Amino acid sequence: QVQLVESGGGLVQPGGSLRLSCTASGRDVSGNIMAWYRQVLGKRELVAAISSGGRTNYDDSVQGRFTISRDKDKNTVYLQMNSLKPEDTAVYYCSTRTTWSSPSAYWGQGTQVTVSS
């Protein structure tokens, strides 16, 4: 079993920044792909993902504004979110999977991000 705990969400004004963190425990996930998803009105979409070797993948809507990174020693993945827009408002979830094509095996509990003036 893997436990994922997210933190860093909150309320921010448009144009502002937030950094989300997700720390894994229970099993070694250093070889896994780590990903951030967001959910609005029941629809969950991939935001960004990063492999063990540092390869990244971003949704077009966040490309150039969000940066995913990971610290293997801390079993933590980050999502730096800049130039936030109201449409970025969502619950953000951390997940992990073994390959790019496999489904996410474990999920965090989610953290709310609200972008509003």
Side-chain angles (χ1 to χ4, degrees):
Q1 290 287 338
V2 175
Q3 293 78 43
L4 301 173
V5 179
E6 303 102 332
S7 61
L11 173 64
V12 63
Q13 292 186 343
S17 298
L18 281 175
R19 189 176 82 153
L20 306 182
S21 300
C22 170
T23 299
S25 62
R27 281 172 54 183
D28 180 16
V29 296
S30 61
N32 282 23
I33 291 166
M34 302 297 295
W36 287 98
Y37 285 77
R38 62 188 178 189
Q39 183 166 331
V40 177
L41 297 177
K43 179 181 177 182
R44 189 173 291 187
E45 62 181 15
L46 177 67
V47 176
I50 186 168
S51 71
S52 173
R55 173 187 167 191
T56 58
N57 182 38
Y58 295 95
D59 184 78
D60 288 345
S61 65
V62 306
Q63 183 76 46
R65 299 189 297 122
F66 291 10
T67 302
I68 189 170
S69 61
R70 66 191 296 173
D71 184 332
K72 290 182 182 180
D73 291 338
K74 295 182 179 180
N75 289 324
T76 299
V77 61
Y78 305 98
L79 186 67
Q80 177 67 44
M81 305 186 294
N82 299 329
S83 302
L84 282 161
K85 305 175 181 180
E87 51 264 43
D88 294 318
T89 296
V91 179
Y92 284 71
Y93 295 89
C94 173
S95 75
T96 184
R97 67 180 82 167
T98 54
T99 69
W100 287 105
S101 59
S102 61
S104 291
Y106 299 98
W107 295 87
Q109 82 288 350
T111 185
Q112 177 71 46
V113 172
T114 302
V115 184
S116 175
S117 55

